Amino acid sequence: MNLIICCTPLQVLIAKEIILSNGGKEKFYGVMLSPVKNEKYEYYYSLLKEVTSDAFFIYRKQTVLSWGISFLKLKIFLFFKKRINSIYLSNINDELIHLLIDSMRHIDLYTFDDGTANIIKTSAFYSRSVRNRTKILRAALRIKTTMNTVKEKSLLHYTIYPNISNIINKTKVVSIFNTENYDNVRSDEKLIKVFLGQPFYNSSIRNKDFIEKIVKKLDIDFYIPHPREDYRVENVTYVESKLVFEELFAKEFSNKKCIIYTFYSGAILNLLNLSSVQLISILPKELDDLIIPRKVVNESYYLFKQLGIEVLEI
């Protein structure tokens, strides 16, 4: 049997395609391991259950106690299952998953994308700074598996980003987005402007004010909020859904002529080949107090330019 571990809704979509690509020849157990538990996560957990022989949701808070309880729950879930021969995982830097790998002998490892962290060379998947608390935890539990050993042992990496260098060289492309019906848009179709939200600065007030300026300046029609946003943008129509962006786009904007604006959200990379969609990345002129490291932001915009996405400085 195979075990596939997901920590986000996007990972579930990729996991689903991995499982279906096996054509039913191999059976999978599924685990949703996440510090988030809401309607969206419950929905994608239900999708994971649909394509696996059995699945389990483990809600893990960011504490050492919760970490330990989560590991015990995971081991109990697997104790009553058939022997696991292979583990499919995305979060290659997760200590709990490392400990699980250590506890299982003769396991084949496969990896799949977590998002743009897989293709941004300055992300934590390429150079990771381990906190002292994590070092103590690893030493106390004698965790031998590391992020680098996972990459070294991965037999194959499943990616949604074709022709882009990933964490390991041996990759197989899977598609989570069906583009068949998006090239038949009529030329007289009204142009729709959509902003895909994303916190850019550490300050919620600053994010809100800046995005509202963009909405007004660019005459945005619809706003898709990011799950981490704790502010609400005024004077724009919200599109709120439990679906991840790729599925939401397919549902709400099928056969529409669109301009999709965002900062550096990797979700738009799945729309690169749609002739009916124009992608524009907004680059703020003020690059201080950023929510993620400056070097990651810089590389993200550099990658967008390399892929032919227009970068608009505001």
Side-chain angles (χ1 to χ4, degrees):
M1 287 290 287
N2 305 289
L3 173 66
I4 196 158
I5 303 173
C6 301
C7 300
T8 67
L10 175 61
Q11 290 178 24
V12 172
L13 284 184
I14 300 172
K16 178 182 176 182
E17 294 305 318
I18 293 171
I19 294 169
L20 294 178
S21 70
N22 280 282
K25 296 178 182 178
E26 298 184 32
K27 301 296 182 182
F28 284 78
Y29 297 128
V31 169
M32 189 77 166
L33 178 65
S34 175
V36 179
K37 192 172 186 179
N38 54 30
E39 184 183 10
K40 175 177 283 190
Y41 275 73
E42 290 283 4
Y43 172 76
Y44 282 96
Y45 171 57
S46 70
L47 289 186
L48 184 63
K49 288 197 293 185
E50 288 179 6
V51 294
T52 54
S53 298
D54 196 7
F56 190 42
F57 194 123
I58 300 177
Y59 173 53
R60 174 183 56 175
K61 296 181 181 179
Q62 299 296 341
T63 65
V64 174
L65 178 60
S66 179
W67 191 96
I69 293 173
S70 297
F71 180 73
L72 288 176
K73 287 180 178 179
L74 180 56
K75 290 296 289 184
I76 291 170
F77 170 70
L78 297 175
F79 182 79
F80 297 100
K81 307 300 179 187
K82 292 181 180 178
R83 186 185 184 281
I84 303 298
N85 300 305
S86 302
I87 297 179
Y88 292 68
L89 65 121
S90 180
N91 287 45
I92 63 173
N93 58 347
D94 192 306
E95 264 70 30
L96 191 151
I97 298 176
H98 293 171
L99 182 58
L100 176 66
I101 292 170
D102 283 350
S103 70
M104 305 174 78
R105 295 183 178 181
H106 309 299
I107 291 293
D108 290 333
L109 294 181
Y110 297 87
T111 51
F112 57 98
D113 283 342
D114 177 50
T116 52
N118 287 87
I119 56 176
I120 299 294
K121 300 300 186 293
T122 49
S123 79
F125 282 4
Y126 289 86
S127 179
R128 185 186 179 209
S129 178
V130 181
R131 296 177 299 176
N132 288 332
R133 188 178 71 174
T134 302
K135 290 179 180 178
I136 294 171
L137 179 68
R138 292 186 65 90
L141 296 175
R142 298 183 179 180
I143 300 175
K144 296 179 180 179
T145 297
T146 67
M147 179 179 72
N148 288 331
T149 56
V150 172
K151 289 192 283 188
E152 291 168 4
K153 293 181 179 180
S154 177
L155 299 175
L156 182 66
H157 182 86
Y158 293 85
T159 181
I160 56 175
Y161 307 117
N163 305 316
I164 302 177
S165 176
N166 215 299
I167 57 170
I168 68 170
N169 294 325
K170 190 175 182 181
T171 61
K172 181 177 181 179
V173 176
V174 292
S175 177
I176 60 170
F177 190 71
N178 188 345
T179 61
E180 291 180 358
N181 300 319
Y182 292 89
D183 290 326
N184 299 318
V185 179
R186 290 167 32 185
S187 58
D188 60 347
E189 185 77 30
K190 179 185 175 182
L191 180 66
I192 296 174
K193 295 182 178 181
V194 181
F195 193 97
L196 176 58
Q198 180 182 27
F200 192 86
Y201 299 107
N202 279 308
S203 167
S204 296
I205 295 175
R206 190 177 182 186
N207 282 319
K208 180 180 185 298
D209 290 345
F210 184 58
I211 294 173
E212 286 179 351
K213 289 178 182 178
I214 294 173
V215 165
K216 183 177 181 180
K217 180 181 180 67
L218 300 178
D219 195 23
I220 302 296
D221 298 302
F222 298 101
Y223 185 80
I224 302 175
H226 190 278
R228 289 200 310 270
E229 293 180 11
D230 57 0
Y231 48 86
R232 190 167 184 88
V233 178
E234 304 295 333
N235 301 316
V236 68
T237 300
Y238 263 63
V239 181
E240 297 181 280
S241 173
K242 61 188 176 186
L243 302 176
V244 298
F245 172 71
E246 291 83 355
E247 291 197 305
L248 176 61
F249 181 88
K251 179 182 178 182
E252 300 292 341
F253 302 103
S254 175
N255 297 320
K256 298 288 193 306
K257 188 163 59 174
C258 302
I259 300 179
I260 307 293
Y261 296 92
T262 190
F263 291 121
Y264 52 85
S265 173
I268 66 170
L269 297 182
N270 293 296
L271 309 182
L272 271 174
N273 297 319
L274 299 184
S275 60
S276 60
V277 179
Q278 182 181 357
L279 303 176
I280 298 181
S281 171
I282 303 295
L283 173 59
K285 290 183 179 179
E286 297 180 2
L287 295 177
D288 61 295
D289 194 30
L290 305 180
I291 201 165
I292 66 171
R294 174 74 175 269
K295 62 181 181 180
V296 178
V297 172
N298 290 341
E299 189 181 350
S300 297
Y301 283 107
Y302 176 77
L303 174 64
F304 277 22
K305 290 178 180 179
Q306 293 295 105
L307 295 174
I309 296 174
E310 180 182 348
V311 176
L312 176 63
E313 189 172 341
I314 293 181

